Amino acid sequence: MTKRFLAAAAFVLLSSTVSATDIGATFETACPFGDCAAGISLSYLGEFVIPTGHMENGVEFGGISGLDFDSATGHYLAISDDRSERGPARFYELNVDVDASGLKGVSVVKQVTLKDKNGAPFAARTVDPESIRLGKDGIYWGSEGDGKALLAPFVRVASPDGSFVREFKLPEGFAPTADKSTGIRDNLAFEDLAVAPSGDVFVGVEAALYQDGPNPSLTSGSLSRIVRYDGATGEPKAEYVYPVSPIPQAATKADGGNDNGMSEMLALDDHRLLAVERSYAQGFGNSIKIMMMDLTDATDVSAIASLAKNDQRVVPARKSQVLDLRAIGLVPDNIEAMSLGKAKDGTDVLILGSDNNFSTSQKTQFYAFKILRRPQQ
């Protein structure tokens, strides 16, 4: 217990809580899609940063790509996208010290190793953890796969100690192919995981499958698929199209690259979700926009093999921007994690977290917002 307290204290000393906007600033989207029942209002509670290089139990902390709140403990589960290279594939239990007065700190309570089907830790580069949610029968987590190595993405259920419980069925058309004719693009696959109150599970790809069209560009978007699963059976129920926006910012560095993609989803109810659109432009940095989507009336495209070669009418998920982090004065890093939760005083909060890519030029960054209003059924 003393060691944990000292580690937590060091965490606070190594970290900063400098924010670029005032605590208590309020941001409201009254009627997304023209639907005032879907209105959402957020109040900023601050930022907390963990510098790259922080060690926990002899393993470098970082790569936070998914986050979810555990109401039983009041803590958060956070998954690292370390591909078992710096340490075993793992998730953390985090204590987020936040209340209505602001975000004060984040500390590690424990670290849990994820196990493969054979009960052993994953070998290096055999997994790419990107998302985590608490489900009705365990911890749901997703691996992005590896397009270059032809490793398929997956969603699995783990027990609290990280052991394998079961795996969801991968729909046709998602497995990577050597000729890149169909399937996931490398590093643009299963990034997003959400669990609805009904128990249904939503899994999204960051950008279009090869057969569905191109990546986002500065002038055009990309058609990402969202798979809706029966959470109890792990069987796919439907697929929807989420239209990722064009890249919002050109690189300012000569010959620099840029991108945009959906890096996380969060279920508000059984048909409304929040999505993170995360873009990066060299010389400029990250742009982070929080979108609300509504799957009501969206076309089930599970029987459509290729969206690019389809002549059927397809209705995508409706979406509306809720928050642009740069527009409100923040300087976001690589935000890939998002969770609803409860603050220490019972306040409803939205927590965002960033993947630092274990880079000294990046940081593990947390933002907190008080939820003043959320969509009504």
Side-chain angles (χ1 to χ4, degrees), residues 288-326:
I288 304 296
K289 296 180 180 180
I290 311 298
M291 304 289 188
M292 185 186 294
M293 76 172 92
D294 190 341
L295 299 175
T296 303
D297 300 326
T299 303
D300 178 2
V301 298
S302 56
I304 298 176
S306 168
L307 296 173
K309 298 177 181 179
N310 168 56
D311 58 4
Q312 301 178 45
R313 180 175 181 266
V314 171
V315 178
R318 295 188 297 166
K319 74 173 188 178
S320 181
Q321 183 175 302
V322 170
L323 199 62
D324 179 336
L325 296 192
R326 277 191 173 268

Side-chain angles (χ1 to χ4, degrees), residues 158-175:
S159 61
D161 68 357
S163 299
F164 172 82
V165 175
R166 61 188 176 98
E167 184 169 340
F168 285 32
K169 181 180 178 180
L170 185 69
E172 290 185 15
F174 283 79

Side-chain angles (χ1 to χ4, degrees), residues 70-89:
D70 184 351
S71 60
T73 62
H75 294 153
Y76 291 77
L77 301 183
I79 200 163
S80 171
D81 70 357
D82 180 3
R83 301 187 184 191
S84 283
E85 294 177 298
R86 289 170 174 79

Side-chain angles (χ1 to χ4, degrees), residues 120-144:
F122 285 87
R125 300 196 67 82
T126 61
V127 67
D128 184 5
E130 292 286 352
S131 50
I132 191 167
R133 297 288 174 204
L134 275 167
K136 292 183 177 180
D137 64 329
I139 297 166
Y140 296 7
W141 68 282
S143 170
E144 188 168 27

Side-chain angles (χ1 to χ4, degrees), residues 242-359:
Y242 177 85
V244 175
S245 302
I247 299 170
Q249 172 69 44
T252 59
K253 182 179 178 180
D255 301 319
N258 50 27
D259 60 20
N260 192 33
M262 180 170 59
S263 66
E264 187 57 293
M265 297 186 307
L266 175 65
L268 298 172
D269 52 39
D270 290 330
H271 62 96
R272 299 188 191 104
L273 298 93
L274 295 181
V276 175
E277 289 200 20
R278 179 273 323 274
S279 69
Y280 175 76
Q282 283 187 291
F284 176 81
N286 291 104
S287 293
I288 304 296
K289 296 180 180 180
I290 311 298
M291 304 289 188
M292 185 186 294
M293 76 172 92
D294 190 341
L295 299 175
T296 303
D297 300 326
T299 303
D300 178 2
V301 298
S302 56
I304 298 176
S306 168
L307 296 173
K309 298 177 181 179
N310 168 56
D311 58 4
Q312 301 178 45
R313 180 175 181 266
V314 171
V315 178
R318 295 188 297 166
K319 74 173 188 178
S320 181
Q321 183 175 302
V322 170
L323 199 62
D324 179 336
L325 296 192
R326 277 191 173 268
I328 65 172
L330 300 176
V331 183
D333 209 292
N334 181 35
I335 301 293
E336 292 194 3
M338 177 168 57
S339 176
L340 296 173
K342 289 281 188 183
K344 302 298 183 182
D345 58 1
T347 299
D348 290 324
V349 291
L350 177 72
I351 307 292
L352 306 177
S354 72
D355 172 6
N356 69 344
N357 291 308
F358 298 96
S359 167

